Amino acid sequence: MINEPQARQFAEHWIRSWNSHDLDAIMNHYTPDVVLISPAAARLLNDPSGTVTGKRSPARIFRSRASVVPDLNFDLVDVMWGLHSVVLYYVNQRGSRNCRVYGIRRERESHSRGSKLQRLNSPA
């Protein structure tokens, strides 16, 4: 079961890892059997499912993303948590609102889902 201090600590470390562009620190958040589902993965891999599995696959995507977006930076807006999950709500360097949902297993993530958030009355 996840509590508020654990969720906030996880979120702060996740943001610091991405903002420092430290691939080892980023990958430390994932188990070897991670399943990542992400709009960024769909774009970078030209795969509409946006699904990659295994720790090596996300590492390739994150390396590509860092080279494509060298000014990548996230600002944490909010953190939500449940019994076995953490949701990070953040804004990237372009002002795009995003969320990332992590299923937590043995204090590490087993799966990750990301979404770009849009207002219902806003153009895409």
Side-chain angles (χ1 to χ4, degrees):
M1 189 162 139
I2 298 167
N3 61 35
E4 181 176 359
Q6 290 170 324
R8 293 198 182 282
Q9 180 182 20
F10 171 81
E12 291 165 7
H13 186 266
W14 189 89
I15 292 289
R16 270 194 318 273
S17 298
W18 276 100
N19 288 347
S20 68
H21 301 212
D22 181 345
L23 185 60
D24 290 333
I26 292 166
M27 294 311 301
N28 192 43
H29 293 109
Y30 300 93
T31 59
D33 61 342
V34 64
V35 176
L36 175 79
I37 303 169
S38 165
R43 282 189 308 276
L44 289 168
L45 299 173
N46 197 27
D47 176 355
S49 77
T51 302
V52 293
T53 56
K55 201 168 182 174
R56 290 183 182 170
S57 296
R60 285 195 314 263
I61 291 168
F62 299 154
R63 227 179 268 109
S64 297
R65 194 168 185 191
S67 66
V68 171
V69 187
D71 63 337
L72 184 120
N73 187 71
F74 299 145
D75 291 314
L76 186 64
V77 175
D78 203 358
V79 181
M80 293 149 271
W81 59 96
L83 292 175
H84 303 286
S85 61
V86 175
V87 178
L88 308 178
Y89 173 36
Y90 61 96
V91 177
N92 69 18
Q93 71 285 346
R94 293 185 322 259
S96 176
R97 297 169 293 153
N98 300 270
C99 72
R100 179 98 20 213
V101 180
Y102 286 92
I104 306 296
R105 182 179 65 200
R106 292 170 298 195
E107 299 182 13
R108 295 183 112 188
E109 293 76 311
S110 59
H111 59 275
S112 169
R113 296 177 189 264
S115 298
K116 179 178 177 181
L117 302 179
Q118 298 178 352
R119 290 187 185 143
L120 293 177
N121 59 357
S122 296

Coordinates of all heavy atoms in Angstrom, one line a residue, residues 68-117:
V68 N 15.9 14.2 -29.3 CA 14.9 15.0 -30.1 C 14.5 16.3 -29.4 O 14.2 17.3 -30.0 CB 13.7 14.1 -30.5 CG1 12.6 15.0 -31.1 CG2 14.1 13.0 -31.4
V69 N 14.4 16.2 -28.0 CA 14.0 17.3 -27.2 C 15.1 17.6 -26.1 O 14.9 17.2 -25.0 CB 12.6 16.9 -26.5 CG1 12.1 18.1 -25.8 CG2 11.6 16.4 -27.5
P70 N 16.2 18.2 -26.6 CA 17.3 18.5 -25.6 C 16.9 19.4 -24.4 O 17.5 19.3 -23.4 CB 18.4 19.1 -26.5 CG 17.7 19.6 -27.7 CD 16.5 18.7 -27.9
D71 N 15.9 20.2 -24.6 CA 15.5 21.1 -23.5 C 14.3 20.5 -22.7 O 13.7 21.2 -21.9 CB 15.0 22.5 -24.1 CG 13.8 22.4 -25.0 OD1 13.5 21.3 -25.6 OD2 13.2 23.5 -25.2
L72 N 14.1 19.2 -22.8 CA 13.1 18.5 -22.0 C 13.1 18.9 -20.6 O 14.2 18.9 -19.9 CB 13.3 17.0 -22.2 CG 12.1 16.2 -21.5 CD1 11.5 15.4 -22.6 CD2 12.7 15.3 -20.4
N73 N 12.0 19.3 -20.0 CA 11.9 19.7 -18.6 C 10.4 19.5 -18.2 O 9.5 19.9 -18.9 CB 12.3 21.2 -18.5 CG 12.4 21.6 -17.0 OD1 13.2 21.1 -16.3 ND2 11.4 22.4 -16.6
F74 N 10.3 19.0 -17.0 CA 8.9 18.8 -16.4 C 8.8 19.5 -15.1 O 9.7 19.6 -14.3 CB 8.7 17.3 -16.1 CG 8.8 16.4 -17.3 CD1 9.3 15.1 -17.2 CD2 8.4 16.8 -18.6 CE1 9.4 14.2 -18.3 CE2 8.4 15.9 -19.7 CZ 8.9 14.7 -19.5
D75 N 7.6 20.1 -15.0 CA 7.2 20.8 -13.7 C 6.1 20.0 -13.1 O 5.0 19.9 -13.8 CB 6.8 22.2 -13.9 CG 8.0 23.1 -14.3 OD1 9.1 23.0 -13.7 OD2 7.8 23.9 -15.3
L76 N 6.2 19.5 -11.9 CA 5.2 18.7 -11.3 C 4.1 19.6 -10.8 O 4.3 20.7 -10.2 CB 5.8 18.0 -10.0 CG 4.9 17.0 -9.3 CD1 4.5 15.9 -10.2 CD2 5.6 16.5 -8.1
V77 N 2.8 19.2 -11.2 CA 1.6 20.0 -10.8 C 1.0 19.3 -9.6 O 0.6 20.0 -8.6 CB 0.6 20.1 -12.0 CG1 -0.7 20.8 -11.5 CG2 1.3 20.8 -13.1
D78 N 0.8 18.0 -9.7 CA 0.1 17.3 -8.6 C 0.5 15.8 -8.6 O 1.0 15.3 -9.6 CB -1.4 17.5 -8.7 CG -2.1 17.3 -7.4 OD1 -1.5 17.0 -6.4 OD2 -3.4 17.4 -7.5
V79 N 0.3 15.2 -7.5 CA 0.5 13.8 -7.3 C -0.7 13.2 -6.7 O -1.3 13.7 -5.7 CB 1.7 13.5 -6.4 CG1 2.0 12.0 -6.2 CG2 2.9 14.2 -6.8
M80 N -1.2 12.0 -7.3 CA -2.3 11.3 -6.7 C -1.8 9.8 -6.5 O -0.9 9.4 -7.2 CB -3.5 11.4 -7.7 CG -4.1 12.8 -7.8 SD -4.8 13.1 -9.4 CE -3.4 13.8 -10.2
W81 N -2.5 9.1 -5.6 CA -2.0 7.7 -5.4 C -3.2 6.9 -4.9 O -4.2 7.4 -4.5 CB -0.9 7.7 -4.3 CG -1.3 8.3 -3.0 CD1 -1.8 7.6 -1.9 CD2 -1.3 9.6 -2.6 NE1 -2.1 8.4 -0.9 CE2 -1.8 9.7 -1.3 CE3 -1.0 10.8 -3.3 CZ2 -1.9 10.9 -0.6 CZ3 -1.1 12.0 -2.6 CH2 -1.6 12.1 -1.3
G82 N -3.1 5.6 -5.1 CA -4.0 4.6 -4.7 C -3.3 3.5 -3.9 O -2.2 3.7 -3.5
L83 N -4.0 2.4 -3.8 CA -3.3 1.3 -3.1 C -2.0 0.9 -3.7 O -1.1 0.6 -3.0 CB -4.3 0.1 -3.0 CG -5.6 0.3 -2.2 CD1 -6.5 -0.9 -2.3 CD2 -5.2 0.6 -0.7
H84 N -2.0 0.7 -5.0 CA -0.8 0.2 -5.7 C -0.5 1.1 -7.0 O 0.0 0.5 -7.9 CB -1.0 -1.2 -6.1 CG -1.3 -2.1 -4.9 ND1 -0.4 -2.5 -4.0 CD2 -2.5 -2.7 -4.5 CE1 -0.9 -3.2 -3.1 NE2 -2.2 -3.3 -3.4
S85 N -0.8 2.4 -6.9 CA -0.5 3.2 -8.1 C -0.2 4.6 -7.7 O -0.6 5.1 -6.6 CB -1.7 3.2 -9.1 OG -2.9 3.7 -8.4
V86 N 0.5 5.3 -8.6 CA 0.8 6.7 -8.4 C 0.5 7.4 -9.7 O 0.9 6.9 -10.8 CB 2.3 6.9 -8.0 CG1 2.6 8.4 -8.0 CG2 2.6 6.3 -6.7
V87 N -0.1 8.5 -9.7 CA -0.4 9.3 -10.9 C 0.4 10.7 -10.7 O 0.2 11.4 -9.8 CB -1.9 9.6 -11.0 CG1 -2.1 10.5 -12.3 CG2 -2.7 8.3 -11.1
L88 N 1.2 11.0 -11.7 CA 1.9 12.2 -11.8 C 1.3 13.1 -12.8 O 1.1 12.7 -14.0 CB 3.4 12.0 -12.2 CG 4.2 10.9 -11.4 CD1 5.6 10.8 -11.9 CD2 4.2 11.2 -9.9
Y89 N 0.9 14.3 -12.4 CA 0.4 15.3 -13.3 C 1.4 16.4 -13.4 O 1.8 17.0 -12.4 CB -0.9 15.8 -12.7 CG -1.6 17.0 -13.4 CD1 -1.5 17.1 -14.8 CD2 -2.3 18.0 -12.7 CE1 -2.1 18.2 -15.5 CE2 -2.9 19.0 -13.4 CZ -2.8 19.1 -14.8 OH -3.4 20.2 -15.4
Y90 N 1.9 16.6 -14.6 CA 3.0 17.6 -14.9 C 2.8 18.3 -16.2 O 2.0 18.0 -17.0 CB 4.3 16.8 -14.8 CG 4.5 15.8 -15.9 CD1 5.1 16.0 -17.1 CD2 4.0 14.5 -15.7 CE1 5.3 15.1 -18.1 CE2 4.1 13.5 -16.7 CZ 4.7 13.8 -17.9 OH 4.9 12.9 -18.8
V91 N 3.6 19.4 -16.3 CA 3.6 20.2 -17.5 C 5.0 20.2 -18.1 O 6.0 20.2 -17.3 CB 3.3 21.7 -17.1 CG1 3.4 22.6 -18.4 CG2 1.9 21.8 -16.5
N92 N 5.1 20.0 -19.4 CA 6.5 19.9 -20.0 C 6.9 21.3 -20.5 O 6.3 22.3 -20.3 CB 6.5 18.9 -21.1 CG 5.7 19.3 -22.3 OD1 5.3 20.4 -22.6 ND2 5.4 18.3 -23.2
Q93 N 8.1 21.3 -21.1 CA 8.8 22.6 -21.5 C 8.0 23.4 -22.5 O 8.2 24.5 -22.7 CB 10.2 22.3 -22.0 CG 10.3 21.6 -23.3 CD 9.9 20.1 -23.3 OE1 9.8 19.5 -22.2 NE2 9.7 19.5 -24.4
R94 N 7.0 22.7 -23.2 CA 6.2 23.4 -24.2 C 4.8 23.9 -23.6 O 4.0 24.4 -24.3 CB 5.9 22.5 -25.4 CG 7.1 22.1 -26.2 CD 6.7 21.3 -27.4 NE 5.7 20.3 -27.2 CZ 5.9 19.0 -26.9 NH1 7.1 18.5 -26.9 NH2 4.9 18.2 -26.7
G95 N 4.6 23.6 -22.3 CA 3.4 23.9 -21.6 C 2.3 22.9 -21.8 O 1.2 23.1 -21.4
S96 N 2.6 21.7 -22.4 CA 1.7 20.7 -22.5 C 1.4 20.0 -21.2 O 2.4 19.6 -20.5 CB 2.2 19.7 -23.5 OG 1.4 18.6 -23.7
R97 N 0.1 19.8 -20.8 CA -0.2 19.1 -19.6 C -0.2 17.6 -19.9 O -0.8 17.1 -20.9 CB -1.6 19.6 -19.1 CG -1.6 21.0 -18.8 CD -3.0 21.6 -18.6 NE -3.7 21.5 -19.9 CZ -5.0 21.4 -20.0 NH1 -5.8 21.3 -19.0 NH2 -5.5 21.3 -21.2
N98 N 0.4 16.8 -19.0 CA 0.5 15.4 -19.1 C 0.3 14.7 -17.8 O 0.4 15.3 -16.8 CB 2.0 15.1 -19.6 CG 2.3 15.7 -20.9 OD1 2.1 15.1 -22.0 ND2 2.8 16.9 -20.9
C99 N 0.0 13.4 -17.9 CA 0.0 12.6 -16.7 C 0.6 11.3 -17.0 O 0.7 10.8 -18.2 CB -1.5 12.4 -16.2 SG -2.5 11.3 -17.2
R100 N 1.1 10.7 -16.0 CA 1.8 9.4 -16.1 C 1.2 8.5 -14.9 O 1.2 9.0 -13.8 CB 3.3 9.5 -16.0 CG 4.0 8.3 -16.0 CD 4.6 7.8 -17.3 NE 4.9 8.7 -18.4 CZ 4.8 8.4 -19.6 NH1 4.4 7.2 -20.0 NH2 5.0 9.3 -20.6
V101 N 0.8 7.4 -15.2 CA 0.2 6.5 -14.2 C 1.1 5.3 -14.0 O 1.5 4.6 -15.0 CB -1.2 6.0 -14.7 CG1 -1.8 5.0 -13.6 CG2 -2.2 7.1 -15.0
Y102 N 1.5 5.0 -12.8 CA 2.4 3.9 -12.5 C 1.7 2.9 -11.6 O 1.2 3.3 -10.6 CB 3.7 4.4 -11.8 CG 4.6 5.1 -12.7 CD1 4.6 6.5 -12.9 CD2 5.6 4.4 -13.4 CE1 5.4 7.2 -13.7 CE2 6.5 5.1 -14.3 CZ 6.4 6.4 -14.4 OH 7.2 7.1 -15.2
G103 N 1.8 1.7 -12.0 CA 1.4 0.6 -11.2 C 2.6 0.2 -10.4 O 3.6 -0.1 -11.0
I104 N 2.5 0.1 -9.1 CA 3.7 -0.1 -8.2 C 3.6 -1.6 -7.8 O 2.6 -2.1 -7.3 CB 3.7 0.8 -7.0 CG1 3.6 2.3 -7.5 CG2 4.9 0.6 -6.2 CD1 4.7 2.8 -8.3
R105 N 4.8 -2.2 -7.9 CA 5.0 -3.6 -7.4 C 6.3 -3.7 -6.8 O 7.3 -3.3 -7.3 CB 4.9 -4.5 -8.6 CG 5.0 -6.0 -8.2 CD 4.9 -6.9 -9.4 NE 6.1 -6.6 -10.3 CZ 6.1 -7.0 -11.6 NH1 5.0 -7.5 -12.2 NH2 7.2 -6.7 -12.3
R106 N 6.3 -4.1 -5.5 CA 7.6 -4.3 -4.8 C 8.4 -3.0 -4.8 O 9.6 -3.0 -5.1 CB 8.4 -5.4 -5.3 CG 7.8 -6.8 -5.0 CD 8.6 -7.8 -5.8 NE 8.4 -7.4 -7.2 CZ 8.7 -8.2 -8.2 NH1 9.2 -9.4 -8.0 NH2 8.5 -7.9 -9.4
E107 N 7.7 -1.9 -4.6 CA 8.3 -0.5 -4.5 C 9.0 -0.1 -5.8 O 9.7 0.8 -5.9 CB 9.4 -0.5 -3.4 CG 8.8 -0.7 -2.0 CD 9.8 -0.6 -0.9 OE1 10.9 -0.1 -1.2 OE2 9.4 -1.0 0.2
R108 N 8.6 -0.8 -7.0 CA 9.1 -0.3 -8.3 C 7.9 -0.5 -9.2 O 7.0 -1.2 -9.0 CB 10.3 -1.2 -8.8 CG 11.5 -1.0 -7.9 CD 12.6 -1.8 -8.4 NE 13.6 -0.9 -8.9 CZ 14.6 -1.2 -9.6 NH1 14.8 -2.4 -10.0 NH2 15.5 -0.3 -10.0
E109 N 8.0 0.3 -10.3 CA 6.9 0.3 -11.3 C 6.9 -1.0 -12.1 O 8.0 -1.4 -12.5 CB 7.0 1.5 -12.2 CG 6.9 2.7 -11.6 CD 8.1 3.1 -10.8 OE1 8.6 2.4 -10.0 OE2 8.5 4.3 -10.9
S110 N 5.8 -1.5 -12.4 CA 5.7 -2.6 -13.3 C 5.0 -2.2 -14.6 O 5.2 -2.9 -15.6 CB 4.9 -3.8 -12.7 OG 3.6 -3.4 -12.4
H111 N 4.3 -1.2 -14.6 CA 3.7 -0.7 -15.9 C 3.5 0.8 -15.8 O 3.4 1.4 -14.7 CB 2.5 -1.4 -16.3 CG 1.4 -1.3 -15.2 ND1 1.3 -2.1 -14.2 CD2 0.3 -0.4 -15.2 CE1 0.2 -1.8 -13.4 NE2 -0.4 -0.7 -14.0
S112 N 3.5 1.5 -16.9 CA 3.4 2.9 -17.0 C 2.5 3.3 -18.2 O 2.7 2.8 -19.2 CB 4.8 3.5 -17.2 OG 4.8 4.9 -17.5
R113 N 1.7 4.2 -17.9 CA 0.8 4.7 -19.0 C 0.9 6.3 -19.0 O 0.8 6.9 -17.9 CB -0.7 4.3 -18.8 CG -0.8 2.8 -18.9 CD -2.3 2.4 -18.6 NE -2.4 1.0 -18.5 CZ -2.8 0.2 -19.4 NH1 -3.1 0.7 -20.6 NH2 -2.8 -1.1 -19.3
G114 N 1.0 6.8 -20.1 CA 1.1 8.3 -20.2 C 0.0 8.9 -21.1 O -0.4 8.2 -22.0
S115 N -0.4 10.1 -20.8 CA -1.4 10.7 -21.7 C -1.1 12.2 -21.7 O -0.6 12.8 -20.7 CB -2.8 10.6 -21.1 OG -3.1 9.2 -21.0
K116 N -1.4 12.8 -22.8 CA -1.4 14.2 -22.9 C -2.8 14.7 -22.6 O -3.8 14.2 -23.1 CB -1.1 14.7 -24.4 CG -1.1 16.2 -24.5 CD -0.7 16.5 -25.9 CE -0.8 18.0 -26.1 NZ -0.4 18.4 -27.5
L117 N -2.9 15.6 -21.6 CA -4.2 16.1 -21.2 C -4.6 17.3 -22.0 O -3.8 18.2 -22.3 CB -4.2 16.5 -19.7 CG -3.7 15.4 -18.7 CD1 -3.7 15.9 -17.3 CD2 -4.7 14.2 -18.8

